[in-house]
């Protein structure tokens, strides 16, 4: 998996090829050469300049290193903190979290570092202030969407509350309604977008003009997967990582047909399934465990082949840098 991503051709992945002419050919250590087309955080601009100056002038060095570093950190976190690494890797692959590392490269790089910080914080290896400063630093230097992770400590408070499962099912049902009837939330989004930065306001306008209609099948699978996790989880107290994922699913269902870029933000939350799903599986015994694992693999397979058939992330045809 590491080699497939690191040695892919620049045609594999939406953002991979786009950055070559928009940023790479211009960027040096001089800040005046940064952000010729795509705005990027200062840390990644410096990383781009460093790669070009001291490692290789080949564009592959940039996106290959970005993938290698980001995915290596993710694998370390899985190996260190997952209760079932093999199951985590399967979820990573069939729910297309792995292929997101081919596409949204800066975001997944930042996400990997933030996941490490999250695990260190949740296992009480670092204090809250260190966690918040670390997340803010990663978000400022690599990708701003990771500021979202500053809210993870709030999930700790939520995880101590008894939340009725029926309430969570109701929220999922409402989000499906909004996915199908996007006009309900359309005007609210247009009004609230005025408080966003110019860059994200552009994404909202772009989404309105695009009139996107995302796959109902895929959305149903994510909602069914979430409902299955709720059903098989013991008790009414859910872990922090589940709530992060749950919020991501609800956001995606409610907003993606109106603001397509929200899908990228939700990727920050979807990765949490790699950790909490094996925990649910390990808590089950006998037939229940077998049924739950079969449901996860079945739903994940549908998501995977649906994504593959639509070439989400533009990963087909796959080519290596040697071809």
């Amino acid at each position: 998996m590491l080699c497939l991503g690191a040695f892919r051709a620049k045609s594999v992945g939406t953002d991979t090829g786009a950055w070559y002419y928009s940023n790479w050919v211009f960027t040096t250590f001089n800040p005046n050469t940064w952000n010729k087309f795509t705005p990027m955080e200062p840390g990644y601009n410096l990383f781009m300049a460093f790669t070009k100056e001291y490692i290789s002038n080949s564009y592959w060095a940039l996106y290959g290193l970005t993938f290698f570093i980001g995915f290596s950190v993710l694998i370390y976190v899985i190996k260190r903190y997952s209760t079932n690494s093999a199951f985590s890797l399967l979820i990573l692959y069939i729910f297309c979290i792995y292929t997101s590392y081919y596409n949204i490269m800066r975001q997944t790089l930042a996400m990997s570092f933030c996941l490490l910080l999250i695990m260190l914080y949740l296992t009480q290896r670092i204090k809250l202030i260190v966690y918040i400063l670390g997340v803010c630093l990663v978000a400022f230097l690599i990708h701003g969407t990771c500021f979202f992770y500053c809210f993870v400590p709030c999930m700790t408070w939520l995880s101590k509350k008894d939340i009725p499962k029926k309430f969570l099912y109701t929220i999922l049902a409402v989000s499906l309604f909004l996915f199908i009837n996007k006009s309900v939330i359309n005007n609210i989004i247009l009004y609230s977008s005025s408080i966003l930065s110019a860059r994200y306001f552009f994404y909202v306008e772009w989404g309105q003009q695009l009139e996107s209609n995302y796959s109902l099948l895929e959305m149903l699978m994510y909602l069914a997967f979430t409902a299955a996790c709720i059903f098989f989880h013991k008790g009414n107290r859910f872990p922090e990582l589940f709530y992060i994922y749950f919020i991501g699913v609800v956001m995606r269902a409610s907003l993606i047909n109106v603001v397509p870029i929200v899908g990228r933000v939700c990727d920050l939350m979807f990765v949490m399934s790699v950790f909490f799903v094996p925990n649910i599986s390990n808590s089950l015994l006998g037939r229940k465990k077998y049924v739950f694992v079969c449901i996860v693999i079945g739903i994940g397979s549908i998501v995977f082949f649906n994504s593959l058939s639509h070439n989400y992330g533009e990963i087909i045809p796959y080519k290596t840098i040697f071809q």
Side-chain angles (χ1 to χ4, degrees):
M1 292 173 78
L2 189 62
C3 291
L4 280 173
F7 292 99
R8 72 189 188 278
K10 70 177 182 180
S11 61
V12 182
T14 307
D15 285 359
T16 310
W19 289 357
Y20 179 77
Y21 292 108
S22 64
N23 295 76
W24 171 257
V25 295
F26 304 105
T27 302
T28 67
F29 282 108
N30 182 353
N32 292 327
T33 66
W34 298 355
N35 307 327
K36 284 294 183 180
F37 181 76
T38 303
M40 294 184 178
E41 283 71 13
Y44 199 79
N45 277 308
L46 288 172
F47 176 68
M48 193 181 299
F50 177 85
T51 302
K52 184 188 289 189
E53 183 73 21
Y54 295 107
I55 298 177
S56 173
N57 197 41
S58 168
Y59 178 55
W60 166 76
L62 175 70
Y63 71 81
L65 273 175
T66 300
F67 180 89
F68 184 85
I69 295 170
F71 196 67
S72 294
V73 173
L74 176 64
I75 294 300
Y76 168 77
V77 176
I78 288 175
K79 186 176 180 180
R80 179 73 177 80
Y81 295 102
S82 172
T83 55
N84 188 333
S85 297
F87 197 20
S88 290
L89 288 175
L90 179 64
I91 294 166
L92 186 77
Y93 191 77
I94 62 177
F95 282 95
C96 302
I97 301 167
Y98 168 69
T99 51
S100 69
Y101 276 76
Y102 286 24
N103 184 13
I104 48 177
M105 300 187 295
R106 283 184 303 122
Q107 182 173 321
T108 49
L109 176 65
M111 180 178 75
S112 292
F113 288 123
C114 286
L115 278 174
L116 179 58
L117 288 168
I118 289 170
M119 294 305 176
L120 290 172
Y121 169 70
L122 293 180
T123 55
Q124 300 182 340
R125 301 287 295 277
I126 58 175
K127 295 186 180 296
L128 175 61
I129 184 65
V130 176
Y131 168 76
I132 295 295
L133 289 175
V135 167
C136 288
L137 185 64
V138 171
F140 174 75
L141 292 177
I142 305 176
H143 205 280
T145 55
C146 286
F147 279 116
F148 165 81
Y149 286 133
C150 289
F151 294 99
V152 169
C154 298
M155 301 299 106
T156 302
W157 172 81
L158 193 60
S159 69
K160 297 175 183 178
K161 303 295 181 181
D162 286 326
I163 307 294
K165 291 184 177 181
K166 289 183 179 179
F167 177 72
L168 299 179
Y169 292 140
T170 302
I171 294 176
L172 292 179
V174 170
S175 66
L176 177 60
F177 172 80
L178 293 174
F179 179 84
I180 297 171
N181 301 277
K182 63 180 183 180
S183 60
V184 175
I185 203 167
N186 191 52
N187 292 332
I188 299 174
I189 293 297
L190 281 174
Y191 176 77
S192 61
S193 66
S194 60
I195 66 174
L196 301 175
S197 67
R199 178 180 175 185
Y200 288 98
F201 180 72
F202 163 78
Y203 283 133
V204 170
E205 282 194 320
W206 171 68
Q208 297 293 312
Q209 295 167 7
L210 194 63
E211 295 186 353
S212 301
N213 286 292
Y214 277 74
S215 169
L216 176 60
L217 173 63
E218 182 185 80
M219 199 65 254
L220 285 172
M221 290 302 100
Y222 278 115
L223 291 169
F225 172 69
T226 309
C229 291
I230 295 170
F231 179 81
F232 283 96
H233 179 78
K234 293 181 178 180
N236 291 332
R237 292 193 179 186
F238 296 85
E240 297 93 337
L241 300 183
F242 167 80
Y243 280 116
I244 298 170
Y245 177 85
F246 182 82
I247 291 170
V249 170
V250 171
M251 281 181 58
R252 186 180 180 91
S254 303
L255 302 175
I256 198 166
N257 273 334
V258 180
V259 190
I261 199 66
V262 80
R264 294 194 169 196
V265 179
C266 293
D267 284 337
L268 296 172
M269 310 176 215
F270 280 12
V271 72
M272 302 304 169
S273 61
V274 170
F275 301 98
F276 75 78
V277 173
N279 291 344
I280 296 175
S281 175
N282 289 348
S283 70
L284 302 173
L285 297 172
R287 187 178 178 182
K288 281 189 176 181
K289 182 172 185 175
Y290 175 78
V291 171
F292 177 69
V293 171
C294 286
I295 289 173
V296 171
I297 294 174
I299 292 175
S301 297
I302 294 172
V303 170
F304 177 79
F305 287 111
N306 181 65
S307 179
L308 206 62
S309 66
H310 292 86
N311 198 14
Y312 292 146
E314 298 182 19
I315 61 173
I316 300 173
Y318 177 84
K319 295 180 180 179
T320 70
I321 59 170
F322 308 109
Q323 291 176 290

